[in-house]
């Protein structure tokens, strides 16, 4: 299996706020606003991302109706037509640069044991939580995060005509860059938000963008397996299993508190 790089963002409900690990203001609230950064070498130096922010924003808005329909009916949404291959390669290269600078740490998660959260390390998985200070190393990656976080929640909210009241926030979120090493390492089965608002965790929607180049289906492995609530109400089957290949450029969204992965 190739080393799997993913960009994972969890968006929260708009009803209350939690800590901001990645403040959007650190990298610009949208492409229309001026960005302010401090250069480590030259205060006058400006690093411009190559990502087409207007095109990305239009893509999000245009795909929003399909995203809402798929999330509502199927519990997840996925596409491989979100960013062009050249931009995926650029973001991946910048993710690797962050790793070379030592920005990745051992990834860990929590599981519920006897009603209490218990931390455990994910063997062979390392993660980084990028912020505005990483802009000069990863300008396109940071800009991608900013545009996505400032556009996707509002676009989904505006297209939501269901009675579920999605109500996503564009000011409360968590962002993570992760790499899974080859050799059989993997994410253990888990739910991103197992306890929900009962413990003050309002994470609602998980978004993953895979950065794997030249992915070979059937050879490289690393598929994402989703366990979704079954739609077959007349049967005893409780979960639907969906396997999704982590090919470069794939975007996938699913509910943080309802889908096991």
């Amino acid at each position: 299996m190739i080393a799997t790089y993913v960009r994972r963002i969890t968006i929260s409900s708009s009803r209350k706020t939690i800590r901001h690990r990645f403040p959007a203001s650190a990298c610009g609230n949208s492409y229309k606003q001026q960005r302010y950064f401090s250069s480590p070498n030259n205060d006058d130096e400006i690093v411009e991302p190559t990502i087409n922010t207007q095109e990305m924003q239009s893509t999000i808005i245009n795909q929003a109706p399909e995203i809402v329909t798929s999330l509502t009916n199927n519990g997840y949404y996925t596409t491989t037509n979100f960013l062009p291959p050249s931009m995926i390669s650029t973001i991946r290269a910048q993710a690797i640069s962050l790793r070379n600078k030592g920005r990745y740490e051992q990834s860990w998660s929590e599981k519920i044991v006897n009603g209490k959260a218990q931390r455990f390390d994910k063997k062979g998985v390392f993660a980084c939580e990028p912020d505005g200070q990483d802009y000069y190393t990863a300008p396109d990656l940071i800009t991608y995060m900013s545009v996505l976080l400032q556009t996707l929640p509002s676009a989904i909210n505006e297209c939501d005509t269901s009675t579920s009241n999605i109500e996503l926030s564009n000011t409360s979120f968590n962002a993570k860059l992760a790499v899974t090493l080859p050799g059989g390492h993997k994410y253990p089965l888990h739910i991103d938000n197992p306890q929900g608002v009962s413990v003050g965790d309002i994470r609602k929607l998980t978004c993953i963008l895979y950065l794997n180049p030249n992915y070979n289906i059937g050879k490289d492995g690393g598929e994402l397996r989703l366990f979704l609530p079954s739609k077959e109400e007349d049967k005893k089957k409780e979960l639907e299993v969906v396997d999704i290949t982590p090919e470069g450029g794939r975007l996938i969204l699913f509910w943080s508190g309802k889908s096991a992965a």
Side-chain angles (χ1 to χ4, degrees), residues 1-5 92 99 179-182 211-213:
M1 185 186 77
I2 59 177
T4 304
Y5 280 86
R92 176 185 171 86
R99 188 180 178 193
V179 57
T180 303
L181 301 183
L211 306 176
N212 300 318

Side-chain angles (χ1 to χ4, degrees), residues 69-240:
T69 298
S70 186
L71 283 171
T72 302
N73 295 337
N74 303 318
Y76 74 99
Y77 168 82
T78 187
T79 180
T80 55
N81 187 28
F82 184 63
L83 290 178
S86 59
M87 184 50 55
I88 295 298
S89 297
T90 297
I91 294 177
R92 176 185 171 86
Q94 293 174 6
I96 293 175
S97 295
L98 288 176
R99 188 180 178 193
N100 291 337
K101 291 186 67 175
R103 287 285 284 113
Y104 287 69
E105 299 177 350
Q106 173 67 58
S107 180
W108 60 273
S109 189
E110 293 179 336
K111 58 183 177 181
I112 307 303
V113 179
N114 298 325
K116 296 183 179 180
Q118 185 178 95
R119 172 175 168 163
F120 65 93
D121 290 340
K122 299 174 182 176
K123 185 178 180 180
V125 181
F126 299 88
C128 162
E129 295 187 2
D131 55 36
Q133 295 181 13
D134 295 311
Y135 179 80
Y136 277 88
T137 302
D140 290 281
L141 189 153
I142 297 297
T143 301
Y144 154 78
M145 292 166 61
S146 178
V147 175
L148 182 72
L149 289 165
Q150 293 301 311
T151 308
L152 181 63
S154 297
I156 289 180
N157 291 341
E158 291 176 5
C159 291
D160 179 29
T161 58
S162 67
T163 59
S164 59
N165 297 321
I166 294 177
E167 295 183 346
L168 297 177
S169 169
N170 63 357
T171 60
S172 184
F173 47 81
N174 168 277
K176 181 182 293 184
L177 185 65
V179 57
T180 303
L181 301 183
H185 297 109
K186 60 183 180 180
Y187 272 71
L189 178 64
H190 69 285
I191 296 177
D192 283 345
N193 184 1
Q195 293 181 293
V197 295
S198 63
V199 295
D201 191 337
I202 57 172
R203 288 178 294 172
K204 197 164 189 178
L205 183 68
T206 297
C207 312
I208 297 176
L209 177 68
Y210 285 102
L211 306 176
N212 300 318
N214 305 316
Y215 180 79
N216 190 323
I217 297 176
K219 179 181 178 181
D220 291 330
E223 293 86 352
L224 173 68
R225 173 164 290 183
L226 293 178
F227 294 84
L228 304 166
S230 176
K231 293 179 289 186
E232 302 181 40
E233 298 179 359
D234 297 333
K235 299 182 180 181
K236 294 183 178 180
K237 187 176 181 181
E238 297 181 356
L239 296 173
E240 297 281 352

Side-chain angles (χ1 to χ4, degrees), residues 2-101:
I2 59 177
T4 304
Y5 280 86
V6 300
R7 163 110 293 295
R8 175 184 290 258
I9 295 177
T10 309
I11 301 173
S12 302
S13 166
S14 62
R15 295 178 181 175
K16 55 187 292 192
T17 59
I18 57 176
R19 60 177 179 168
H20 304 321
R21 295 185 180 178
F22 171 69
S25 59
C27 63
N29 286 335
S30 77
Y31 69 88
K32 294 181 180 179
Q33 296 180 346
Q34 185 176 2
R35 293 186 301 273
Y36 294 90
F37 298 95
S38 59
S39 168
N41 299 316
N42 185 343
D43 289 340
D44 296 325
E45 179 185 359
I46 299 177
V47 176
E48 290 293 336
T50 61
I51 190 170
N52 188 325
T53 54
Q54 291 183 327
E55 183 177 309
M56 179 180 167
Q57 191 172 52
S58 296
T59 297
I60 294 172
I61 293 172
N62 292 336
Q63 292 185 6
E66 184 180 352
I67 291 173
V68 170
T69 298
S70 186
L71 283 171
T72 302
N73 295 337
N74 303 318
Y76 74 99
Y77 168 82
T78 187
T79 180
T80 55
N81 187 28
F82 184 63
L83 290 178
S86 59
M87 184 50 55
I88 295 298
S89 297
T90 297
I91 294 177
R92 176 185 171 86
Q94 293 174 6
I96 293 175
S97 295
L98 288 176
R99 188 180 178 193
N100 291 337
K101 291 186 67 175

